Amino acid sequence: MDASGPAGDGATHADAGQLDAAWQSAIGSIAAARRQGDDARGDAVGVTVLTGFLGSGKTTVLRRLLAEPVGLRIAAVVNDIGPVNIDAAALDGLEVASRTPDRVELTNGCACCALVDDLAETLERLASAGTSDAIVVEASGIADPATLAAATESAAGCTLDGVVAVTDAQHLAAQLDDPRMAPAVRRQIDVSHMVVLSKIDLVSDVEVQALIGRIGQIAPGRMVVPAAHGRIDPRVLLGAAVRGATFRADAGGHPFEVATAVVAPAGPWEVTDVARWFELPPVPLVRAKGWFTSPDGSRHELQAVGRSWRIEPASRQPDPVIVLIGDSPEAVERAAASLRSLG
């Protein structure tokens, strides 16, 4: 069940052959630049900071990256708002070889870790292990990417490969027009080396071109890569700094403050009641995500960004918990109380 759907009338997007050619050119440039820089880099592990506003599609990009690493051993560090189940958020459907409380090893040689310590310390631990060809840090939706980039550069054994901003084609225009969200979204784009325009399958070609134009106004010279279902060639994503402009590391901080509330256990609720609630929530929410149970014991996954939401049968059996994210503690607590009353 989904409250959003493809816009337009099924128009196709940029010619796949042209896009493939552009990507192959980028891949060749990255490979050449890395060969030239091998001596200067030494044995340092390249780190990519994956930033993007709440609900932009970062986790989908990360999941694709870990599922299709083109022979690379990739370690991912996840830092999110509210409780994070890294198995469910990033690894759903991937084959797991082993687990520890803060780390999951995948059978393809990749790994995913929760950010439980200082970022630089976590990166140094991963780099010193010598088991990763690259590291990806998935930032929370309101984290300042320049701060994370600075922490990366201070980590022994690591080098910053680039900052990649994931933007949501379905909601980017509204976010840039919202005075509350715009500073954070613009900041993430402005400090990036590369911008991924995700969810292009949900909008028309005309909207995609308009959004690329708006991104160009915010960050001239940035490489913009359109993507559907989070699919990006890892060799392009992990070499963002080679093709993109140098990011600006000034003016840190969180220009958009958020508050969270947790509803646990979530349910038992009828799916139709939850759908009706998200159609007209008591207060505006920025983001909601998690799982809930139905009276028959089945589990459902919930994903909501603004007024768009999706409810699907859960592919696993996680704990029933919903995280609500809004712009004030009062708002999210009111929403949480209302959601709990469905039971």
Side-chain angles (χ1 to χ4, degrees), residues 1 270-282 307 309 311 339 342:
M1 180 178 296
E270 295 287 356
V271 172
T272 53
D273 291 339
V274 178
R276 191 177 301 113
W277 192 92
F278 275 94
E279 277 292 328
L280 192 63
R307 291 297 302 275
W309 54 267
I311 297 173
L339 191 57
L342 293 179

Side-chain angles (χ1 to χ4, degrees), residues 41 43-49 77 115 117-128 135 137 146-161:
R41 287 167 56 98
D43 295 327
V45 178
V47 179
T48 297
V49 175
V77 180
L115 180 55
D117 301 310
D118 174 76
L119 176 58
E121 181 181 322
T122 301
L123 293 176
E124 288 174 1
R125 186 168 65 248
L126 290 172
S128 65
I135 301 172
V137 177
T147 301
L148 299 181
T152 296
E153 293 181 321
S154 71
C158 297
T159 184
L160 179 66
D161 248 6

Side-chain angles (χ1 to χ4, degrees), residues 182-201:
V185 177
R186 293 178 64 91
R187 168 70 173 170
Q188 291 167 346
I189 294 172
D190 187 39
V191 304
S192 69
H193 299 94
M194 177 188 293
V195 179
V196 174
L197 184 60
S198 72
K199 309 181 188 180
I200 61 168
D201 52 307

